[in-house]
């Protein structure tokens, strides 16, 4: 409920099927907590998993600043994607520490909420996309009420701060412009860059990688060979292998690599590095538009070990995806 018994539309209301049967959920929520907030977080995760159209990615328990950083990074990376909306839910003793560290990422608006009114106000006014809650002062029952208010209140909806009445025209106009202006605060325009890789990519013409839909490549050097590669958000590389081992450094974006021979997976964000040995079969999913630098010895080759449909089925069946 929003406030005073006024029900706002749920983000999952337009979803045609339940979360068990939906191919694409309408809302993804990344969750986590420290040891003081874990019991409340677990109760809220259980409630979320009972809701249709909601996918939960639970990152578990860590130090409050570490778990908040991971959740903030996830929400920030997905904020520019046009696919499923991603929000965050994070808990610590007070709910304050986690909000501080989640808020260090662009396009993340985390708020500590200890009441339903807090949740309704921050969704209506701030377009809050990360809910921070207090494990020491909020019971699971009250936490669920706060969570429901946060889920069901749309941006600019009447709230306690507006007297539960529609916002006046001047405030509505301010709110219409605020989100775009807020997004620019953490993204100042940089006139130039001294980064060698960033300078190298300027003006390059990329060539589509026909065997991998959504991918483009520009060879930079031969023997040893290096290239810049970019993939569009949502792209998927079916399981494949090469006759060479290769080093990958992520310039921007986020991707996940499954090494099927080692039965291991790695989530790579900006600045991360991964080496894949020659012959190892690996599958890759791109969560957002991603660019990476790749280096290998020998001639370029790629051998598919599955088709795109089989890869999609395997990824959709994997936990946490």
């Amino acid at each position: 409920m929003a406030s005073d018994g006024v029900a706002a539309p749920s983000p999952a209301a337009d979803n045609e099927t339940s979360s068990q049967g939906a191919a694409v959920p309408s809302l993804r929520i990344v969750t986590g907590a420290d040891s003081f907030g874990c019991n409340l977080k677990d109760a809220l995760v259980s409630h979320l998993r009972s809701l249709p159209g909601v996918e939960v990615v639970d990152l578990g328990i860590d130090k409050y600043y570490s778990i908040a950083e991971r959740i903030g990074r996830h929400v920030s990376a997905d904020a520019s994607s046009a696919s499923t909306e991603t929000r965050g839910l994070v808990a610590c003793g007070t709910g304050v520490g986690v909000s501080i560290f989640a808020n260090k990422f662009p396009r993340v608006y985390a708020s500590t909420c200890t009441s339903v009114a807090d949740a309704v106000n921050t969704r209506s006014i701030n377009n809050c996309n990360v809910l921070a809650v207090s494990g020491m002062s909020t019971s699971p029952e009250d936490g669920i009420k706060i969570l429901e208010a946060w889920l069901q209140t749309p941006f600019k909806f009447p709230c306690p701060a507006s007297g539960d009445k529609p916002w006046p025209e001047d405030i509505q106009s301010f709110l219409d412009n605020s989100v775009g202006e807020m997004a620019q605060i953490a993204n100042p325009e940089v006139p130039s860059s001294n980064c060698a890789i960033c300078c190298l990519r300027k003006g390059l013409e990329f060539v589509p990688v026909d065997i991998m839909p959504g991918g483009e490549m520009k060879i930079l050097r031969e023997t040893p060979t290096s290239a810049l590669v970019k993939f569009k958000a949502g792209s998927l590389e079916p399981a494949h292998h090469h006759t060479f081992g290769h080093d990958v450094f992520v310039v921007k974006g986020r991707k996940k690599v499954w090494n099927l021979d080692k039965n291991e997976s790695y989530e790579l964000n900006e600045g991360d590095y991964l080496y894949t040995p020659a012959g190892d079969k690996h599958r890759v999913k791109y969560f957002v538009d991603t660019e990476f630098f790749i280096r290998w010895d020998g001639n370029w080759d790629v051998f598919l070990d599955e088709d795109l449909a089989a890869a999609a089925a395997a990824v959709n069946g994997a936990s946490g995806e």
Side-chain angles (χ1 to χ4, degrees):
M1 75 182 123
S3 59
D4 293 342
V6 179
S10 167
D14 293 332
N15 205 65
E16 294 183 358
T17 58
S18 69
S19 57
Q20 289 85 355
V24 179
S26 59
L27 180 64
R28 176 184 298 112
I29 300 184
V30 186
T31 68
D34 71 357
S35 58
F36 293 99
C38 62
N39 289 337
L40 178 58
K41 183 269 296 181
D42 287 346
L44 300 185
V45 165
S46 178
H47 180 72
L48 285 171
R49 285 179 170 154
S50 72
L51 302 177
V54 177
E55 174 190 3
V56 180
V57 180
D58 189 3
L59 302 184
I61 302 171
D62 205 342
K63 296 181 288 290
Y64 78 89
Y65 43 84
S66 298
I67 197 68
E69 181 271 339
R70 292 169 63 194
I71 288 173
R73 188 182 296 276
H74 272 274
V75 174
S76 178
D78 288 356
S80 58
S81 172
S83 58
T84 303
E85 179 188 2
T86 298
R87 297 192 200 173
L89 166 66
V90 64
C92 66
T94 64
V96 175
V98 284
S99 70
I100 290 172
F101 284 91
N103 271 324
K104 290 185 178 292
F105 294 88
R107 300 179 302 279
V108 172
Y109 314 119
S111 296
T112 303
C113 296
T114 57
S115 69
V116 168
D118 286 347
V120 176
N121 281 336
T122 197
R123 279 293 301 147
S124 174
I125 301 169
N126 311 121
N127 199 28
C128 168
N129 56 6
V130 174
L131 174 64
V133 291
S134 167
M136 294 195 302
S137 63
T138 301
S139 68
E141 294 77 16
D142 288 340
I144 289 173
K145 293 176 183 177
I146 293 169
L147 175 62
E148 279 292 325
W150 181 75
L151 286 172
Q152 295 179 9
T153 303
F155 179 48
K156 300 182 290 186
F157 195 76
C159 65
S162 71
D164 295 312
K165 298 177 181 179
W167 290 103
E169 186 175 340
D170 59 333
I171 300 297
Q172 189 79 247
S173 176
F174 165 77
L175 294 175
D176 287 339
N177 296 321
S178 65
V179 173
E181 293 173 356
M182 288 190 298
Q184 294 304 312
I185 291 174
N187 290 287
E189 292 186 5
V190 180
S192 63
S193 173
N194 294 323
C195 170
I197 293 178
C198 294
C199 292
L200 186 64
R201 69 180 294 278
K202 291 180 179 178
L204 292 179
E205 294 185 7
F206 287 77
V207 176
V209 182
D210 294 334
I211 199 169
M212 298 292 183
E216 297 178 275
M217 172 187 288
K218 174 62 179 178
I219 300 292
L220 302 176
R221 184 184 63 182
E222 302 282 356
T223 314
T225 310
S226 60
L228 275 172
V229 182
K230 57 184 181 181
F231 275 86
K232 295 179 180 178
S235 297
L236 181 64
E237 292 186 58
H240 61 283
H241 65 278
H242 309 278
T243 58
F244 52 81
H246 56 287
D247 303 273
V248 167
F249 173 80
V250 179
V251 179
K252 69 174 185 178
R254 181 164 66 92
K255 61 190 245 182
K256 186 169 184 177
V257 180
W258 289 266
N259 187 312
L260 305 183
D261 289 308
K262 291 183 170 58
N263 195 28
E264 295 176 348
S265 63
Y266 322 92
E267 186 163 317
L268 305 180
N269 293 280
E270 181 177 324
D272 287 339
Y273 163 86
L274 178 67
Y275 175 74
T276 301
D280 278 15
K281 294 187 289 295
H282 52 291
R283 180 189 300 125
V284 188
K285 178 180 179 180
Y286 296 89
F287 298 98
V288 296
D289 290 350
T290 301
E291 292 188 16
F292 56 93
F293 179 84
I294 182 171
R295 178 194 179 279
W296 68 91
D297 294 313
N299 296 319
W300 170 257
D301 60 35
V302 57
F303 302 93
L304 291 180
D305 297 292
E306 66 181 357
D307 60 26
L308 193 58
V315 169
N316 290 336
S319 60
E321 293 303 319

